[in-house]
Structure formats: C-alpha cells, structure tokens
Amino acid sequence: MPTENINAVYFLSPVIPVVVGFFLIFYWKAKRSFRWVILAYALLAYAGAIIIKAIFQSFTASYVIDTFGSVSVATGLYYGLQTSILEVGLAYVVARYAIGSKKMVESDAEAYGLSLSFWENVVLLGIISLFSLLSTYLTIAYGPAGIASTVRDE
C-alpha cells in the first residue's frame, strides 16, 4: 500500500491550530462581540507587515547573514526588531486608523487580537502547512515510481 509509511500523527501539527482558531472565531461571534470587518483589518495589518518584512529582507538579509552568520545575536535582533516594529507597529497603526474612522470601537480589541492571531496561526502555520504536508505525502504515495524510495534514502 503506498501510504503505509505515512504517519498520520504529523497532520495534527497543522490541524490543531486550524481547529482551535476557527473554534475561537465562531465562539467569539456567538458569545462576545465579533464583526467580520475586524478580521479584514487584521489581515491588512498582518499581511502588510509580512509583505514589508519580505521586501526589506530581500535587500538586507544576505548581508546580515554573511556578516553575522545565520545563528547569532545580531541576526536574532535583525529579525526580532522587524517583527516587533512591523507586526506590532502596523497592527497598532491599522487599529488607530480603524478606530479613528469609526470602523472599529474599543470593545473590538479582543476580536482584533484574536483576528491577528488567526491569520498567523490558522492560515500561515495551519492551512498552508497542511497543504504543504498533504502535497508532499500525496507526491510520495502516488507520484512517479521511485519518488518514495528516493525520499526515504536521503
């Protein structure tokens, strides 16, 4: 059987954040205050930060890694400061804009924080990882002859 060497336990890693994330969104919608526009503003903040980081790193990452190595305090600060400034900073800027334009109110704070974590944990770490894992396993199980033995030999 082509799937005999595939351990289904590996699917738990991406499935758990997806299940928990969707549960929290629907729980907040049912029990608390959650408006779908908040999810859109969180996407704007999170995706904007990731895109800016990717552009910035495309110009600077190789220099930092060549200079300080891939595992160093300086490289950690390089990535950590980007995350702190861009992800947290852009989340703040978007929230201030949305509140200022009356699209969000202060009571939306919990839903906004939940929505920010939704995009990273459910979409980026969960769904995309699940798709990658599934495509890898399907390629190994049902791909051209020899792929499974090639992957196992490496």
Side-chain angles (χ1 to χ4, degrees), residues 38-57:
I38 306 304
L39 202 59
Y41 277 111
L43 175 60
L44 176 67
Y46 182 71
I50 298 302
I51 290 167
I52 293 168
K53 282 175 32 176
I55 292 168
F56 181 75
Q57 289 171 12

Side-chain angles (χ1 to χ4, degrees), residues 51-66:
I51 290 167
I52 293 168
K53 282 175 32 176
I55 292 168
F56 181 75
Q57 289 171 12
S58 72
F59 292 108
T60 61
S62 61
Y63 172 77
V64 171
I65 291 170
D66 291 344

Side-chain angles (χ1 to χ4, degrees), residues 29 33 71 77 80 87 90 104 111 152:
K29 180 79 174 143
S33 171
V71 180
L77 286 171
E87 288 187 33
L90 203 52
M104 280 176 37
R152 281 189 222 112

Side-chain angles (χ1 to χ4, degrees), residues 9-81:
V9 172
Y10 289 117
F11 283 99
L12 291 177
S13 179
V15 166
I16 289 172
V18 170
V19 170
V20 170
F22 276 106
F23 170 78
L24 287 173
I25 292 288
F26 289 113
Y27 174 82
W28 238 258
K29 180 79 174 143
K31 300 288 184 181
R32 306 263 193 152
S33 171
F34 188 92
R35 296 178 301 122
W36 297 112
V37 70
I38 306 304
L39 202 59
Y41 277 111
L43 175 60
L44 176 67
Y46 182 71
I50 298 302
I51 290 167
I52 293 168
K53 282 175 32 176
I55 292 168
F56 181 75
Q57 289 171 12
S58 72
F59 292 108
T60 61
S62 61
Y63 172 77
V64 171
I65 291 170
D66 291 344
T67 304
F68 301 107
S70 61
V71 180
S72 68
V73 171
T75 303
L77 286 171
Y78 165 77
Y79 289 113
L81 287 172

Side-chain angles (χ1 to χ4, degrees), residues 129-146:
S129 296
L130 183 61
F131 177 76
S132 176
L133 189 62
L134 186 61
S135 63
T136 300
Y137 279 176
L138 288 174
T139 301
I140 291 169
Y142 301 106

